[in-house]
Amino acid sequence: MKVAITNAVLSNTGDAAIYEGIVQALEAGGVATRADIYVFDSNARVTRRLYPSWNILQQLAVSPPRRPARLRNLLQRFRHTLVRTVSTNPRVAQRILGFPVLRRTGFARSFCLMAQMELLISSGGTYLVDHYNFESRAVELEMGSRLGLPVVLWTQSMGPFDSPRASTAIKRIAHCTDLVYFRDEKSAVAWRRTVSGVEGRVVADAVFALARPSRMSQLFSGKRRALLSVREWNRGVASDSFDQSTYADAMRQAASVLLEEDFAVTALSTCQGVPEYAYDDSALAMRIFEGMKVEVDRDFHGPDVLLQIVAEAEVVVTTRMHLAIMALVAGVPVIAVAYEFKTLELFRSLGLGDLAISIESVTSDWIEGKLIKVSQNRERWTLSAEQLTKLRTAAMSPVEDLHEIIRPIARQP
């Protein structure tokens, strides 16, 4: 079976880990082999370089980054019109896109491959939320539905859909969705309150599919390594803004406490080392930890390498949620500063809510207190092998439903 995974941003290692988790679930469930899974990314030219062994194509409804940004916005609108046009009559479109002058274009390659797919999965993530414009996501999924593909929303954090723009877009997405999965109950409530039809269910984040009890870090390893993850952000979880200097002071305090305890401290993130990507958390780390004995790792790391680095730490303090999940998967205690509700919901659901706080509420005293609490009883703040096994099973459970919606697609001879 040929499977398309779209709405991916693989320049972000957290998103790449989500993709890897979905692939492992599809393989384990007998839905598809890795060779028959294609991922449609927002900037395929860059991510093909990062992951040369993956089948990466340019996402159809998203124009690659261009400068000036106004040009990209214009090209994006043109793409939306083009996607709607070609997906309305795909057979004619494939003939036209097969002309010599067109068939070598990235759009033609992406569309002709998409038309051969038998299942369309929207990658797990947090892009269906009110403060993002997810029009391109809707256009992409509507295209899949017009092509006759079952459409699945893998583990999402979404909502609340209070704005007219978000409410309209999610209703369009719901109209073409066959299955939907949520990372937390809050997202499920937002979906069910706004749309009708597919109910969906709550399952563990896709990255928990990477959990293996044998990978768990050995507590008290004596390595005395700690990781800190920061990120640029301009709004709170429940407020329009927050005091960025207070956040920076809190992260510096975390570094100070760890350095005083003779830890080797490294600043590391899931978003770094890719110049073409919109975010480079290592640049912010350089500013926040200036003058401190904190090593700032500025290199790009894929999911496997990053998970290995995390597993060698004894404690992680992170703002990026998927670095937190990697720490949980590796059996490393993690303290989380949440910039979106998804992190707070995750930690509450795991019984670790005391170690997570919203970015607008974090203080130096709070972080210092949590580091002390973790040091006093490390086992209390890590997940057991049994918990990880259950989370892995839950993260892979969507494949159980796929066989019910997969249907053969008539192919043009």
Side-chain angles (χ1 to χ4, degrees), residues 355-393:
L355 293 189
I357 193 171
S358 66
I359 197 168
E360 67 264 38
S361 302
V362 69
T363 64
S364 298
D365 288 344
W366 185 89
I367 279 194
E368 182 172 355
K370 299 309 174 186
L371 284 169
I372 293 171
K373 177 174 286 193
V374 166
S375 69
Q376 291 172 341
N377 187 0
R378 294 170 58 85
E379 291 93 337
R380 162 65 182 86
W381 305 108
T382 57
L383 300 180
S384 67
E386 181 181 2
Q387 286 176 298
L388 284 174
T389 298
K390 288 182 178 178
L391 286 166
R392 180 172 182 265
T393 300

Side-chain angles (χ1 to χ4, degrees), residues 65-77:
R66 304 286 175 91
R67 292 184 179 178
R70 192 176 302 171
L71 173 62
R72 188 191 188 194
N73 292 337
L74 179 64
L75 293 173
Q76 191 105 312
R77 288 195 293 272

Side-chain angles (χ1 to χ4, degrees), residues 91-113:
R91 292 182 179 179
V92 173
Q94 286 182 82
R95 291 195 192 103
I96 295 173
L97 293 173
F99 290 165
V101 71
L102 296 174
R103 66 187 177 199
R104 293 186 179 181
T105 64
F107 185 90
R109 289 196 300 270
S110 290
F111 181 78
C112 290
L113 259 172

Side-chain angles (χ1 to χ4, degrees), residues 303-329:
D304 286 346
V305 173
L306 189 58
L307 185 55
Q308 182 179 351
I309 294 172
V310 171
E312 293 174 352
E314 289 196 17
V315 65
V316 173
V317 180
T318 180
T319 317
R320 291 284 184 181
M321 187 183 83
H322 281 100
L323 195 70
I325 293 178
M326 287 185 174
L328 294 168
V329 164

Side-chain angles (χ1 to χ4, degrees), residues 149-214:
L149 306 181
V151 175
V152 178
L153 305 186
W154 213 270
T155 44
Q156 306 285 328
S157 294
M158 59 171 71
F161 311 127
D162 289 335
S163 71
R165 181 183 70 182
S167 177
T168 299
I170 201 62
K171 288 174 182 175
R172 287 167 52 199
I173 289 173
H175 184 71
C176 63
T177 296
D178 294 272
L179 294 172
V180 58
Y181 301 93
F182 314 102
R183 291 195 292 214
D184 51 75
E185 190 60 38
K186 186 173 183 177
S187 298
V189 169
W191 170 274
R192 293 163 186 160
R193 177 175 59 86
T194 310
V195 306
S196 58
V198 182
E199 283 288 308
R201 59 189 175 93
V202 177
V203 300
D205 184 274
V207 177
F208 281 108
L210 307 182
R212 304 288 190 280
S214 60

